[in-house]
Amino acid sequence: MKKVGIAAIIILVLVIAGGWFFMRSMGGMGGNMPGQGGGMMNGGGMGNGGMMGGGSGLVEDMKNDSIAGGEKRLPIPPMLKDENPDPGKAEFTLVAQKGTVEFLKGKATDTFGYNGDYLGPVIRVKKGDDVSVKVKNELDEATTLHWHGLEVDGEDDGGPHSGIQPDTTWNPEFTIEQNAATLWYHPHLLHKTGEHVYKGLAGLFLIDDEESEKLDLPDEYGVNDIPLIVQDKQLDENGQFEYDLSMHDVMMGLQGDTIMVNGAINPYVEVPKGKVRFRLLNGSNARIYQFALSNGQEFYQIGTDGGLLEEPVKMDSLVLSSAERAELIVDFSGYEKGESVELTDQGMPFMKFVVSGEEKGPKEIPSQLVDIPEVDESMAARTREFVMSGMGRNVTINGKQMDMDRIDEQLKLHDTEIWEITNEGMGMMGNNMGMAHPFHGHGTQFLILDRDGNPPPANERGWKDTILVEPGEKVRAIATFDHKGLFMYHCHILEHEDAGMMGQFNVE
Ligand code: C2O
Ligand code: CU
Ligand code: CU
C-alpha cells in the first residue's frame, strides 16, 4: 500500500461528502447505505492489486450459498445460427427480451437476455465476412446494442445515439476486417448501460481467421475451448437483482457479493485431460478480478481483448477489469480422472474444473502465435490527452461529463494517434489515491506503448480496447482509426459511464 495515512482520511471525508451530495440529488433514494467509511473503501475496484488483496470486506461478505453447493454444471452459451447459407456472408437475429431465471432454488429472478432469459448466444464470424444482424427490442424500454471491440463505422457501432425503441428492429451491416479475437456485445443507452448489462444483456462475439485456425490451439467449443463470462451480482431476499444504487455503488461501481459464471453460481465444468483454452470476459459492471487457480498452478495467457498474443505468457494470476478479455490455456494433463481445481478471485473460489479423464487436444502449446506489429511512435499524427478524475457522480474525463450534443474530439480517418490516458486519482488531494478506471475506446484496437514510461507487462503486449489505469498512472497507447463516424471513449465501470465519465470522438 502506498501513501495511505492522511490521504485515507481525506478520501473518507470526500466519500462521505460525495455520498451526501448524491443522496440529496437523488431525493433521498439509496438502499443500503454502508454503515461506516471502512466499508466504503473496501471495494475491489480500488487501487492496485495490493489494495484489493486480503483483508478486503469482499471476502468476508461473500454469501455462503455461493460457496457451498457446486452442483450446477456450467452453462455454455449456445452458438447463434447463421441464417445465410452463403459462405462469406452471415446473418443473425438477436432479440432483447425479458425473462426469469432460478439462480437461487425456488426464487425466480427477473432478468433480461438475448434470445433467452439471461445473457446471449455467441455470434461467431470469420475475417472477411459480410455480416448483417437484426436486433429486435422486445423490452418495454429503449436499449441499444454495441459491439465492444469491433472495428466498424460509427453508425453500426451501437452507441448511445443508436437507440432501439420497443418493438422495433435495428439492422447494422458491416464487414469483419480485424483478426481473430474474443469480443462481446452489450447495450449502451445513455444512463442505462449499467442496469441493462446488470440484468443480463451481454454476449460474446468471436472472430476466427486463417492464421488462428492454422495454429494448433484447443478449439472444440464447449469442450476444450470454453467461454467464461464472469459477473458479480447482488440478489436480494426475494432473489431479485437489485439495481438500486447505494452510495457505495455510486462511488465504487456496483459490486455484488455473488460471482456468477455464464449465469450460474459456483458451477463446475468437466474438462478433458490436456490443454484447455478459456475465453474469459469480465462482464461485471465494476469489479476488478484477480484470477488464479486454487492450487497455485501456472497457466498461459494467449490472447488479450483484441486478439492473440505473439507468444504465450506464463502467469500465476491475472488481473482483469470490467470489459477486458483474456484467452488462457490451462494444462490439465497432469491430473487424474475426477481430480479438480478451482478458479479463484483474490483467493476466493467461485467455480471448479473437474478433469474427466478423457485425453484431448494438442500435446503442446504453440510457442509462436501471431505477429503483432512493432509499435512505431513516429507513425502517430498526434498525441491526444485523456485525464480521468473525480469520484462518485463527479467522475470526468478532461474535466467534462458526457453530453450527447457535444463532440469532444475530432479525428482524421486513417490517422494513427497516441492516446495518453492519465488517472488523476484524487487530483490535488493525492494523485495516487482514488480508483483504478478501465478506459475504453470504440471503433479500434490499441497497442500499449508504455505505463508510466515503462514497457507494458508481457501479457499486455497485444491488442487492447480496454486499458486499466491505476490512480496516478499514465498510459500511452497507439491506434489507427480506420472507421468513420461517431464513437465513444469512457470508463468501463458502468456506474461511472452512466454518471457521465464518457466523451465522444468523431472520425472523418
Ligand atoms: Cu463495452 Cu462503450 O463499451
Ligand atoms: Cu465498446
Ligand atoms: Cu471509472
Side-chain angles (χ1 to χ4, degrees):
M1 283 213 199
K2 36 183 182 181
K3 297 187 189 163
V4 191
I6 262 185
I9 295 166
I10 294 173
I11 284 204
L12 193 59
V13 169
L14 282 184
V15 164
I16 291 169
W20 271 112
F21 176 77
F22 170 68
M23 299 291 287
R24 286 181 42 186
S25 64
M26 295 297 284
M29 169 220 124
N32 44 349
M33 209 169 135
Q36 30 120 316
M40 291 178 237
M41 294 179 53
N42 277 336
M46 209 169 154
N48 53 27
M51 296 181 73
M52 291 162 51
S56 148
L58 298 175
V59 174
E60 291 136 30
D61 289 344
M62 198 65 74
K63 263 184 200 151
N64 281 331
D65 49 336
S66 67
I67 36 178
E71 308 285 313
K72 195 160 167 51
R73 191 184 282 269
L74 178 78
I76 302 293
M79 209 61 91
L80 188 57
K81 189 179 175 310
D82 172 3
E83 296 157 23
N84 192 326
D86 201 342
K89 288 199 170 31
E91 254 176 75
F92 300 101
T93 306
L94 283 176
V95 181
Q97 59 194 69
K98 291 186 285 186
T100 55
V101 177
E102 251 187 55
F103 295 113
L104 301 174
K105 252 208 179 70
K107 292 181 178 171
T109 307
D110 294 323
T111 54
F112 287 170
Y114 294 110
N115 304 7
D117 289 308
Y118 189 71
L119 296 176
V122 177
I123 293 184
R124 191 159 197 171
V125 296
K126 215 175 152 178
K127 185 173 184 176
D129 279 359
D130 288 320
V131 181
S132 165
V133 192
K134 291 195 183 68
V135 185
K136 181 147 199 259
N137 181 5
E138 289 185 356
L139 305 170
D140 301 329
E141 55 189 289
T143 187
T144 82
L145 190 138
H146 164 58
W147 314 107
H148 181 122
L150 196 63
E151 297 170 41
V152 296
D153 287 353
E155 61 179 15
D156 299 310
D157 178 64
H161 294 276
S162 304
I164 315 169
Q165 295 306 314
D167 292 317
T168 64
T169 298
W170 178 61
N171 184 198
E173 293 183 311
F174 44 80
T175 302
I176 305 296
E177 291 169 1
Q178 71 206 87
N179 50 359
T182 299
L183 313 179
W184 64 303
Y185 58 90
H186 63 76
H188 216 301
L189 196 70
L190 193 68
H191 305 314
K192 281 287 186 182
T193 301
E195 184 178 345
H196 286 179
V197 172
Y198 192 70
K199 288 188 170 167
L201 294 176
L204 289 171
F205 189 106
L206 308 184
I207 302 176
D208 297 308
D209 64 9
E210 262 154 38
E211 254 186 291
S212 68
E213 280 167 0
K214 264 189 253 152
L215 287 169
D216 195 13
L217 291 170
D219 59 0
E220 241 185 276
Y221 182 74
V223 177
N224 63 5
D225 180 354
I226 300 174
L228 301 176
I229 303 173
V230 185
Q231 301 174 302
D232 58 331
K233 303 286 169 179
Q234 185 77 44
L235 292 154
D236 68 14
E237 62 281 10
N238 302 315
Q240 299 305 314
F241 286 149
E242 292 166 9
Y243 196 81
D244 180 1
L245 300 182
S246 67
M247 184 172 103
H248 179 271
D249 299 333
V250 171
M251 289 295 144
M252 316 305 299
L254 189 143
Q255 306 211 358
D257 59 7
T258 303
I259 295 177
M260 293 186 184
V261 188
N262 300 346
I265 301 169
N266 199 29
Y268 73 90
V269 62
E270 280 190 48
V271 292
K273 198 175 153 76
K275 318 247 178 319
V276 179
R277 172 188 195 168
F278 295 100
R279 297 175 191 254
L280 220 58
L281 160 66
N282 181 350
S284 307
N285 282 38
R287 184 180 293 269
I288 299 171
Y289 295 87
Q290 193 164 16
F291 294 119
L293 291 164
S294 53
N295 58 3
Q297 187 187 337
E298 288 176 318
F299 52 85
Y300 294 86
Q301 183 167 350
I302 59 164
T304 51
D305 301 336
L308 294 169
L309 284 158
E310 209 143 45
E311 51 194 31
V313 178
K314 198 192 247 187
M315 15 223 296
D316 56 15
S317 81
L318 165 71
V319 172
L320 211 63
S321 64
S322 26
E324 282 188 293
R325 286 87 64 209
E327 291 194 35
L328 307 181
I329 290 189
V330 179
D331 186 0
F332 295 106
S333 44
Y335 285 67
E336 298 298 329
K337 183 181 166 74
E339 252 191 290
S340 68
V341 65
E342 286 169 305
L343 186 56
T344 65
D345 166 41
Q346 296 175 63
M348 189 71 200
F350 62 90
M351 79 164 292
K352 194 191 268 178
F353 305 123
V354 183
V355 179
S356 68
E358 183 202 345
E359 291 205 33
K360 193 166 238 122
K363 289 270 167 298
E364 300 294 334
I365 302 170
S367 57
Q368 287 298 311
L369 299 167
V370 297
D371 284 331
I372 304 282
E374 258 329 301
V375 281
D376 179 1
E377 288 190 36
S378 67
M379 302 242 317
R382 57 169 290 172
T383 295
R384 211 176 278 274
E385 289 172 25
F386 298 88
V387 178
M388 304 189 282
S389 54
M391 288 197 79
R393 305 202 82 203
N394 303 318
V395 279
T396 58
I397 300 179
N398 292 339
K400 294 177 286 185
Q401 290 203 321
M402 173 70 176
D403 179 347
M404 293 273 278
D405 299 323
R406 183 192 66 226
I407 291 169
D408 299 279
E409 307 289 333
Q410 280 291 351
L411 278 71
K412 246 178 74 198
L413 187 62
H414 304 307
D415 264 6
T416 296
E417 295 198 353
I418 294 172
W419 283 20
E420 185 183 285
I421 310 151
T422 309
N423 181 348
E424 241 188 15
M426 311 276 304
M428 298 165 64
M429 312 298 271
N431 281 323
N432 294 322
M433 298 305 298
M435 289 182 66
H437 298 285
F439 180 94
H440 168 50
H442 286 206
T444 191
Q445 289 285 337
F446 296 83
L447 291 172
I448 299 179
L449 290 170
D450 43 47
R451 287 184 170 275
D452 280 338
N454 303 311
N459 71 317
E460 283 196 325
R461 294 183 195 161
W463 297 109
K464 295 286 297 164
D465 56 51
T466 307
I467 299 172
L468 184 63
V469 189
E470 297 289 344
E473 194 181 24
K474 175 175 295 190
V475 180
R476 292 193 317 138
I478 192 165
T480 302
F481 295 83
D482 280 330
H483 288 273
K484 61 176 189 317
L486 191 56
F487 299 96
M488 306 295 132
Y489 55 85
H490 56 91
C491 173
H492 220 290
I493 290 177
L494 298 180
E495 288 67 35
H496 289 177
E497 174 187 336
D498 283 342
M501 198 173 192
M502 174 156 69
Q504 315 195 68
F505 67 98
N506 188 48
V507 183
E508 338 175 292

